[in-house]
Amino acid sequence: MAIALLLAAAILSLLRPPGRIEVLGNIPIPSVSPHVVFDKISIGPDHDAVRITNVAIVDLDGDGSRDIVACDAGKNCVLSYHETSNGMWQERTLGDNLNVPAHATVVDLDKDGDLDVVVSILGDILPSDKLVGQVVLLENLGTEFSQQILLRDVRRVADVQPSDFDQDGDLDLAVAVFGYSRGEVLWLENRGNTGAGFGFRDHQLLVRPGAIHVPVGDLDGDGDLDIATIFSQFEEELWAFENIGAGEFRSRRLYFSHNFDVGGAGLVMCDLDQDGDLDLLLPQGDNLRTPDLPFEIGCFS
């Protein structure tokens, strides 16, 4: 089935009144040389139960070469793949018994010099409002990874991103709770090691279903880090949470649509037009109920 790819770009500044949109000109897209050839290579086991929900490319073991970290919702585990000297890929299980891992965020959460993995747990791959979501830390201990639940008793969690939101020197977490008909966006305040592991206090930013991603960056250029999110369930909404200091945020809706068939597919923060500030790249069209609708990419700045 052919899918039309339309590239639309719009700019919506946090400093302007809501609803003011300026359409940019054509954004140059680099061409790909016709001489570039790609080969398909499988690096993991080939079996029917594989459901890869997320991959990240990162030097996990600090040896100078890139590894691959993957969430497998079929085997309910997080895996890493390391390329050996003979060109083979060595698989390692970083965490298991994880009920539908949706996303793995690689970060040195405890600031001990190695990389840990923070996992967003859906808890159920099917639509559900049950309290099955979790945020799980896979703490890097060198030879193994230790599992610790940082957040439990929430609805399905789709994404977690780290930042020092309250500027106290440690890393906090922004959390997208997708849920189904009920969901929310949280930020988890890092309260340090409690003796039994990490302690986090949850703060609710907004109640909406369908939060997919929570990218973090300095959207308003004031030196601290803000949060953005896309809600893709029911009414399509794009929100920004402006960090105003001391762990407080000011929420602002940047975009919405009453069209239930828009189908937001994610949210990426980047300087797409290379003008020195951060834009929000929003792909739309992820809706299996209406396959004849076009796929679009919008850019908000």
Side-chain angles (χ1 to χ4, degrees):
M1 179 182 298
I3 298 178
L5 179 62
L6 304 177
L7 185 62
I11 226 174
L12 180 59
S13 172
L14 288 173
L15 302 178
R16 294 172 182 157
R20 178 175 176 181
I21 297 177
E22 296 180 12
V23 180
L24 296 174
N26 292 330
I27 298 176
I29 301 176
S31 60
V32 178
S33 170
H35 303 294
V36 176
V37 178
F38 293 90
D39 292 327
K40 179 181 177 181
I41 301 174
S42 178
I43 64 171
D46 185 13
H47 58 82
D48 294 337
V50 172
R51 285 180 175 175
I52 302 301
T53 55
N54 174 248
V55 293
I57 301 174
V58 62
D59 183 7
L60 186 64
D61 52 13
D63 67 348
S65 63
R66 296 294 182 94
D67 307 301
I68 298 174
V69 177
C71 294
D72 188 338
K75 297 171 63 177
N76 288 329
C77 63
V78 175
L79 306 167
S80 70
Y81 295 92
H82 177 75
E83 188 174 12
T84 62
S85 57
N86 59 1
M88 303 298 290
W89 290 88
Q90 184 178 32
E91 182 183 275
R92 178 186 181 188
T93 299
L94 305 182
D96 55 11
N97 297 317
L98 300 169
N99 194 10
V100 192
H103 192 275
T105 302
V106 181
V107 60
D108 185 4
L109 188 64
D110 52 9
K111 295 192 173 182
D112 63 351
D114 53 28
L115 291 175
D116 312 300
V117 182
V118 180
V119 187
S120 308
I121 302 294
L122 278 180
D124 194 337
I125 202 166
L126 297 175
S128 173
D129 273 327
K130 294 181 179 179
L131 303 180
V132 293
Q134 293 180 338
V135 175
V136 174
L137 170 65
L138 304 180
E139 183 182 359
N140 192 339
L141 301 180
T143 58
E144 62 179 354
F145 284 76
S146 173
Q147 294 185 202
Q148 179 187 341
I149 298 176
L150 304 182
L151 179 68
R152 67 176 81 221
D153 296 330
V154 293
R155 295 174 178 85
R156 300 187 303 162
V157 176
D159 187 27
V160 178
Q161 294 300 322
S163 181
D164 184 4
F165 295 117
D166 52 7
Q167 298 183 323
D168 63 352
D170 54 25
L171 287 175
D172 311 301
L173 300 171
V175 181
V177 180
F178 185 97
Y180 177 50
S181 61
R182 290 179 288 178
E184 59 189 334
V185 173
L186 308 169
W187 79 275
L188 305 185
E189 179 186 357
N190 192 335
R191 306 300 294 271
N193 198 310
T194 63
F198 280 94
F200 284 86
R201 178 183 178 185
D202 59 292
H203 301 268
Q204 190 177 75
L205 293 175
L206 192 66
V207 176
R208 290 285 193 284
I212 298 178
H213 291 153
V214 279
V216 172
D218 187 3
L219 287 171
D220 51 7
D222 65 351
D224 54 26
L225 294 175
D226 312 299
I227 303 170
T229 193
I230 174 67
F231 295 98
S232 65
Q233 194 77 333
F234 306 122
E235 292 184 0
E236 191 91 2
E237 294 186 342
L238 174 63
W239 283 77
F241 304 98
E242 181 187 0
N243 192 336
I244 57 177
E248 298 294 329
F249 289 84
R250 180 185 297 116
S251 60
R252 181 167 183 181
R253 188 173 67 178
L254 304 182
Y255 162 82
F256 78 99
S257 172
H258 293 303
N259 184 354
F260 289 2
D261 293 327
V262 168
L267 188 64
V268 178
M269 193 178 293
C270 60
D271 184 5
L272 186 65
D273 52 7
Q274 298 182 351
D275 64 350
D277 55 26
L278 287 173
D279 310 305
L280 296 169
L281 188 64
L282 169 62
Q284 294 181 318
D286 181 19
N287 192 320
L288 299 179
R289 293 175 298 177
T290 51
D292 56 329
L293 287 178
F295 179 85
E296 298 182 352
I297 298 177
C299 177
F300 299 83
S301 169

